C-alpha cells in the first residue's frame, strides 16, 4: 500500500522513488492520516508556494486503497482504507508465512560480520556474549534483507600474552588439570605469570619463538587453542548460535610482511623509539603501532592484514565488526590506515559497537568473590530460575521442562540485551530479564503461546474471511503488522536489532489489548478474528526469530 502511494507520488512529482521514500512521513497523530508528504523541498525547486503545490498534487492522486487524500498546509495526508489494508496485510502474512518481512533488495551482496571473537586460554567474557547475541541478530536481519551473510568468529589466538601463558605452563602447568578444565587452568597460569616480573621477558621470547614457527612452542599453542575452541563450542551449542567461518589472529602470522611492505612503500611507516608506527595525529587519532622494536607484530597489524584478506576473499559490500566500545580508537585507527593505504573499500568497514553489561548494582561486571565468571554457568543458572518459574505454573515431564527452561532462559537473556540500543550500557539482571510480565523475552514467548493456544482451541485452518467493521484495536494492530517489512529494512539500515525488539513488544501489547476487548471464538466474525490472531502470531514469531529467539508453541 505504501508502495502504491510512493509510485503515485513519483508520477505526479517527477521525483525519483528514493527521493519520495525519503520524504514520506508517518504523521504524529492518526487524525492526520497514515502517511504524509511534505512539499517544502518541491517548493524550493519549483519556486512556488508549498501549500499550493500540495493542493495541486493532491487533486491528481487517486488510489482505490485510499479513503481520502487531504491537504493540511504544505502537507498531503493520506488516509488508508482500513478494510483493504486489512485484507492485503492478512493475506500477505498468511501467504508468506516465515518469509513475511523478508526482502530481496540486497541480492548477491555479501556482508561479513566479525562477531563473538573471544580470546583463547581465557574465559569467554561477558562482552563476547553481547557481541555473539548482537552479531547473530544482525546476521539474521541482513539475511532477511536479501544479503548473503558470513558470520565470522575471529579468535584472539595470537600475541604476546600467549608467550606468557606458554612459558607459564611449562613452569607450573598440570596436564591433568589442562584436560579437565583447560580455560580455567590456563587463565590461572596467565594471572600468575602476569604478577611475576620475571615472566615478562620470558613471555616475549616465547612469543617470538611462536612467531618464528618453533615446533615445540607451536605444538603447545595448538593444544591450548584446540581445547579452548572445544569449550567455546559447548557454549555456542547451548546458545544455538553458529558461524560460517572460525578464524583467528593467528591466521595472519607469516602473512603480515606484504602489509608491512605496502605501508613502507606508501611512505606511511615511521620509526618511533625503535618501533614502527603510522602517525595519525593529523586526524586526532594518535599513532597506530604496527611493529614493536623486537619485530613482534600487533593487534592492529593483524586486523589490517585480515581486512585486506576478507575484502579479497568475500568481495563484501560491508565488513562489520561487532565489538565493544572500548575498542573504538583501535577501529578508527586501522580503518584510517586502510584508507591512507589507498584502499577505497575502507569506507565499507564499520565498527558496530556495543556498550557494557553492568552488574545489578550498576557497577562494572567484575569477578564474583574473586572468581572468574563462566558464561555457561550464567546460562545454567538462568535456566534453573526459569525451571522454578515454570514449576509454579504447571507440571511437565523432565524432558519438556529442560527444553522449555532453556528456551525461556535464552529468550530472557537475548531479549534483555536486544531491546536496548546496542551502544547503551545494560544492567545484566537475569531476575528482571526472566519476568513473565513487562517488556521481557518470556512475556513475548508467553504472548505467542497464548495466541497459538487460541488457534489450537478453534482448530484453526486457513480459510477465506470477510473484513468486518473494524474496531480501533483491530485497526491499530493491522496497521502495525503491515509495517513489519519496513521495520526489518530500517533495522538493517541502522544496524539496530532493538528496532525489531521494540516492534515485537509493540505488537504483543496491541494484540493483548485487542484480545481483551474482542470476543473471537464463536463470534460472528470468528474467521476474520482467527486470521488476525494467526497473522499476528506469525509476525511475532518472525520478529523473535530475527533476534535469534525461538518460540515455544505452548507455555
Ligand atoms: N579478541 C578481541 C577481544 O576479545 C576481539 C576481536 C574483535 N575483532 C577484531 N577484528 N578485532 O578483545
Amino acid at each position: 500500500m505504501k508502495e502504491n502511494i510512493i509510485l503515485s507520488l513519483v508520477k505526479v512529482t517527477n521525483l525519483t522513488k528514493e527521493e519520495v521514500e525519503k520524504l514520506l512521513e508517518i504523521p504524529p497523530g492518526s487524525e492526520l492520516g497514515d502517511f504524509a508528504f511534505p512539499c517544502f523541498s518541491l517548493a524550493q525547486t519549483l519556486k512556488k508556494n508549498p501549500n499550493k503545490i500540495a493542493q495541486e498534487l493532491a487533486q491528481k492522486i487517486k488510489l482505490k486503497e485510499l479513503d481520502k487524500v487531504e491537504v493540511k498546509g504544505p502537507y498531503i495526508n493520506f488516509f488508508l482504507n482500513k478494510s483493504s489494508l486489512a485484507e492485503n496485510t492478512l493475506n500477505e502474512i498468511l501467504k508468506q508465512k516465515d518469509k513475511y518481512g523478508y526482502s530481496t533488495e540486497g541480492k548477491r551482496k555479501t556482508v561479513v560480520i566479525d562477531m563473538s571473537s573471544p580470546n583463547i586460554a581465557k574465559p569467554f567474557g561477558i562482552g563476547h556474549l553481547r557481541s555473539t547475541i548482537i552479531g547473530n541478530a544482525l546476521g539474521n536481519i541482513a539475511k532477511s534483507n536479501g544479503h548473503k551473510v558470513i558470520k565470522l568468529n575471529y579468535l584472539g589466538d595470537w600475541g604476546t600474552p600467549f608467550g606468557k601463558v606458554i612459558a607459564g605452563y611449562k613452569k607450573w602447568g598440570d596436564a591433568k588439570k589442562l584436560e579437565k578444565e583447560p580455560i580455567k587452568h590456563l587463565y590461572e597460569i596467565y594471572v600468575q605469570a602476569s604478577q611475576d616480573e620475571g615472566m615478562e621477558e620470558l613471555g616475549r621470547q616465547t612469543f617470538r619463538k611462536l612467531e618464528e614457527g618453533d615446533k615445540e612452542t607451536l605444538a603447545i599453542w595448538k593444544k591450548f587453542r584446540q581445547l579452548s575452541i572445544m569449550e567455546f563450542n559447548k557454549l555456542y551449542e547451548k546458545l544455538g548460535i553458529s558461524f560460517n567461518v572460525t578464524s583467528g589472529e593467528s591466521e595472519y602470522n607469516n602473512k603480515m610482511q606484504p602489509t608491512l611492505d605496502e605501508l613502507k612503500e606508501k611512505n606511511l611507516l615511521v620509526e618511533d623509539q625503535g618501533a614502527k608506527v603510522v602517525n595519525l595525529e593529523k586526524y586526532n587519532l594518535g599513532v597506530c603501532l604496527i611493529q614493536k622494536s623486537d619485530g613482534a607484530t600487533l593487534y592492529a597489524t593483524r586486523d589490517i592484514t585480515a581486512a585486506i584478506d576478507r575484502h579479497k576473499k568475500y568481495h563484501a559490500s560491508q565488513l562489520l565488526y561487532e565489538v565493544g566500545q572500548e575498542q573504538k580508537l583501535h577501529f578508527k585507527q586501522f580503518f584510517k590506515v586502510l584508507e591512507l593505504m589507498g584502499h577505497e573499500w575502507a569506507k565499507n568497514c564499520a565498527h558496530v559497537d556495543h556498550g557494557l553489561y553492568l552488574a545489578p548494582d550498576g557497577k562494572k561486571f567484575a569477578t564474583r568473590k574473586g572468581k572468574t565468571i563462566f558464561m555457561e554457568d550464567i546460562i545454567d543458572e538462568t535456566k534453573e530460575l526459569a525451571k522454578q518459574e515454570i514449576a509454579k505454573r504447571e507440571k511437565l515431564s523432565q524432558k519438556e521442562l529442560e527444553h522449555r527452561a532453556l528456551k525461556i532462559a535464552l529468550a530472557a537473556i537475548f531479549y534483555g540485551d536486544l531491546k536496548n540500543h546496542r551502544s547503551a550500557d545494560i544492567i545484566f539482571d537475569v531476575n528482571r530479564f526472566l519476568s513473565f510480565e513487562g517488556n521481557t523475552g518470556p512475556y513475548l514467548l508467553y504472548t505467542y503461546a497464548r495466541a497459538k493456544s487460541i488457534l489450537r482451541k478453534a482448530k484453526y485452518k486457513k480459510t477465506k474471511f470477510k473484513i468486518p467493521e473494524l474496531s480501533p484495536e483491530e485497526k491499530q494492530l493491522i496497521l502495525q503488522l503491515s509495517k513489519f517489512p519496513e521495520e526489518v529494512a530500517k533495522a538493517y539500515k541502522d544496524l539496530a536489532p532493538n528496532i525489531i525488539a521494540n516492534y515485537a513488544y509493540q505488537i504483543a501489547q496491541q494484540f493483548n489489548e485487542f484480545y481483551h476487548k474482542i470476543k473471537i471464538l464463536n463470534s460472528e466474525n470468528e474467521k476474520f478474528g482467527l486470521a488476525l490472531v494467526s497473522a499476528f502470531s506469525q509476525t511475532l514469531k518472525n520478529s523473535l526469530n530475527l533476534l535469534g529467539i525461538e518460540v515455544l508453541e505452548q507455555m
Side-chain angles (χ1 to χ4, degrees):
M1 306 214 119
K2 186 182 177 192
E3 187 72 10
N4 286 344
I5 296 177
I6 292 171
L7 291 178
S8 67
L9 279 165
V10 168
K11 222 159 139 196
V12 298
T13 58
N14 281 327
L15 294 173
T16 66
K17 201 175 152 211
E18 288 69 38
E19 287 167 331
V20 171
E21 252 168 26
K22 253 205 189 135
L23 288 170
L24 201 63
E25 296 173 7
I26 305 234
S30 59
E31 70 285 358
L32 296 171
D34 300 299
F35 294 102
F37 184 78
C39 296
F40 305 107
S41 59
L42 279 176
Q44 272 180 3
T45 36
L46 299 174
K47 304 212 164 32
K48 246 170 140 177
N49 181 317
N51 298 25
K52 195 140 190 218
I53 299 178
Q55 298 275 354
E56 285 171 12
L57 295 179
Q59 274 170 19
K60 295 191 204 157
I61 295 170
K62 297 228 159 34
L63 283 172
K64 66 170 187 335
E65 56 258 64
L66 290 176
D67 269 347
K68 59 177 176 179
V69 179
E70 217 174 61
V71 174
K72 257 239 146 68
Y75 285 91
I76 309 175
N77 295 330
F78 298 87
F79 293 78
L80 296 175
N81 178 306
K82 295 299 179 304
S83 80
S84 47
L85 175 73
E87 193 171 319
N88 286 351
T89 304
L90 298 194
N91 283 330
E92 189 76 4
I93 298 171
L94 299 177
K95 192 175 90 199
Q96 296 196 29
K97 297 199 181 106
D98 286 351
K99 289 270 175 308
Y100 178 59
Y102 279 40
S103 102
T104 46
E105 244 164 71
K107 220 175 212 159
R108 282 190 303 273
K109 286 204 185 136
T110 301
V111 179
V112 177
I113 308 179
D114 182 314
M115 57 178 275
S116 196
S117 308
N119 303 319
I120 65 163
K122 262 193 179 181
F124 189 99
I126 196 140
H128 299 122
L129 182 65
R130 271 209 93 175
S131 170
T132 311
I133 294 172
I134 300 171
N136 182 58
L138 286 173
N140 293 338
I141 291 169
K143 231 189 236 164
S144 65
N145 274 275
H147 292 287
K148 184 171 178 253
V149 171
I150 297 187
K151 294 195 280 180
L152 195 155
N153 191 357
Y154 180 71
L155 300 172
D157 59 359
W158 207 248
T160 347
F162 299 106
K164 243 186 226 173
V165 183
I166 294 169
Y169 182 77
K170 281 180 149 176
K171 262 201 155 119
W172 312 300
D174 176 331
K176 273 211 189 96
K177 276 192 190 161
L178 182 69
E179 287 297 331
K180 219 171 133 221
E181 291 180 300
I183 291 185
K184 192 162 174 257
H185 186 48
L186 292 175
Y187 189 56
E188 279 163 4
I189 288 176
Y190 176 67
V191 172
Q192 191 177 349
S194 299
Q195 287 156 354
D196 186 334
E197 260 174 45
M199 294 300 284
E200 212 41 60
E201 184 48 36
L202 192 59
R204 248 198 304 273
Q205 281 171 14
T206 312
F207 181 57
R208 193 175 315 140
K209 272 193 186 165
L210 199 58
E211 283 208 306
E212 283 162 358
D214 174 69
K215 275 216 178 86
E216 191 210 337
T217 318
L218 257 176
I220 300 177
W221 169 84
K222 257 195 195 137
K223 176 121 195 138
F224 292 175
R225 184 177 195 271
Q226 183 205 14
L227 290 170
S228 304
I229 292 178
M230 269 164 61
E231 278 211 34
F232 295 154
N233 281 346
K234 277 191 234 156
L235 178 65
Y236 294 136
E237 206 170 296
K238 219 167 239 183
L239 294 173
I241 289 177
S242 59
F243 305 91
N244 303 94
V245 181
T246 296
S247 112
E249 295 181 40
S250 64
E251 199 178 310
Y252 299 100
N253 178 39
N254 289 332
K255 291 187 190 149
M256 284 176 274
Q257 197 53 47
T259 307
L260 295 170
D261 293 344
E262 190 181 337
L263 285 167
K264 207 161 166 193
E265 192 188 306
K266 291 180 173 157
N267 282 327
L268 290 166
L269 227 41
V270 291
E271 292 260 342
D272 186 352
Q273 298 163 26
K276 294 204 170 71
V277 307
V278 178
N279 189 324
L280 301 171
E281 274 160 356
K282 241 205 271 175
Y283 312 97
N284 258 331
L285 293 173
V287 294
C288 182
L289 198 51
I290 299 289
Q291 195 172 30
K292 289 193 196 169
S293 52
D294 65 0
T297 57
L298 288 119
Y299 187 40
T301 331
R302 291 186 280 281
D303 253 330
I304 294 168
T305 313
I308 295 173
D309 180 53
R310 287 177 200 178
H311 169 73
K312 277 194 196 138
K313 244 189 216 147
Y314 305 117
H315 307 285
S317 67
Q318 277 183 306
L319 295 177
L320 305 180
Y321 297 82
E322 196 344 284
V323 186
Q325 255 156 25
E326 62 283 3
Q327 297 195 26
K328 216 171 214 164
L329 180 64
H330 164 73
F331 285 100
K332 278 195 179 154
Q333 285 185 332
F334 93 76
F335 293 167
K336 192 72 187 173
V337 172
L338 286 169
E339 183 194 317
L340 294 174
M341 287 167 97
H343 295 299
E344 200 244 335
W345 50 266
K347 64 177 193 312
N348 303 333
C349 296
H351 177 201
V352 186
D353 66 352
H354 63 247
L356 298 171
Y357 275 142
L358 302 174
D361 62 5
K363 296 207 180 101
K364 235 176 140 166
F365 228 97
T367 47
R368 193 163 27 181
K369 294 187 213 106
K371 274 197 270 171
T372 16
I373 305 170
F374 286 88
M375 269 332 108
E376 267 195 87
D377 296 343
I378 291 193
I379 311 269
D380 289 342
E381 280 166 26
T382 312
K383 188 177 156 193
E384 279 315 307
L385 290 172
K387 266 192 205 166
Q388 291 168 18
E389 195 58 43
I390 300 169
K392 276 191 223 157
R393 294 156 186 261
E394 59 185 316
K395 259 209 137 39
L396 295 170
S397 71
Q398 193 58 29
K399 199 175 153 214
E400 184 61 19
L401 183 65
E402 294 289 330
H403 171 75
R404 282 195 207 178
L406 180 61
K407 289 270 166 72
I408 292 172
L410 293 178
I413 294 174
F414 285 24
Y415 187 81
D417 184 326
L418 296 170
K419 76 174 194 187
N420 309 282
H421 189 271
R422 54 181 168 71
S423 307
D425 291 341
I426 296 174
I427 305 232
F428 191 88
D429 182 349
V430 290
N431 282 307
R432 251 191 25 214
F433 290 176
L434 260 179
S435 166
F436 278 44
E437 278 146 45
N439 189 359
T440 67
Y443 165 75
L444 295 176
L445 289 189
Y446 185 65
T447 304
Y448 175 81
R450 195 153 75 148
K452 292 304 284 233
S453 96
I454 299 167
L455 298 173
R456 262 195 313 273
K457 234 186 247 159
K459 302 205 166 44
Y460 170 74
K461 269 208 195 80
K462 202 178 145 192
T463 48
K464 280 219 166 74
F465 54 86
K466 268 210 198 70
I467 309 287
E469 183 72 43
L470 296 171
S471 70
E473 289 79 21
E474 287 164 330
K475 272 186 203 163
Q476 258 313 310
L477 179 59
I478 291 167
L479 188 64
Q480 212 49 41
L481 293 180
S482 77
K483 286 182 183 158
F484 184 53
E486 273 170 57
E487 300 283 325
V488 176
K490 200 153 89 202
Y492 174 62
K493 202 178 128 258
D494 297 352
L495 301 173
N498 64 310
I499 290 179
I500 303 294
N502 301 153
Y503 173 82
Y505 182 56
Q506 210 177 43
I507 59 171
Q509 276 192 310
Q510 276 162 354
F511 170 76
N512 284 326
E513 260 168 53
F514 147 77
Y515 185 65
H516 265 302
K517 289 230 173 99
I518 286 149
K519 183 173 150 68
I520 303 170
L521 296 181
N522 303 319
S523 77
E524 129 190 50
N525 299 315
E526 182 178 299
K527 277 187 186 153
F528 163 75
L530 291 175
L532 180 51
V533 175
S534 173
F536 158 74
S537 59
Q538 181 70 60
T539 310
L540 182 59
K541 177 182 174 202
N542 293 4
S543 320
L544 292 173
N545 286 349
L546 285 181
L547 303 177
I549 298 172
E550 279 179 53
V551 292
L552 287 167
E553 295 298 313
Q554 262 171 304
M555 203 169 134

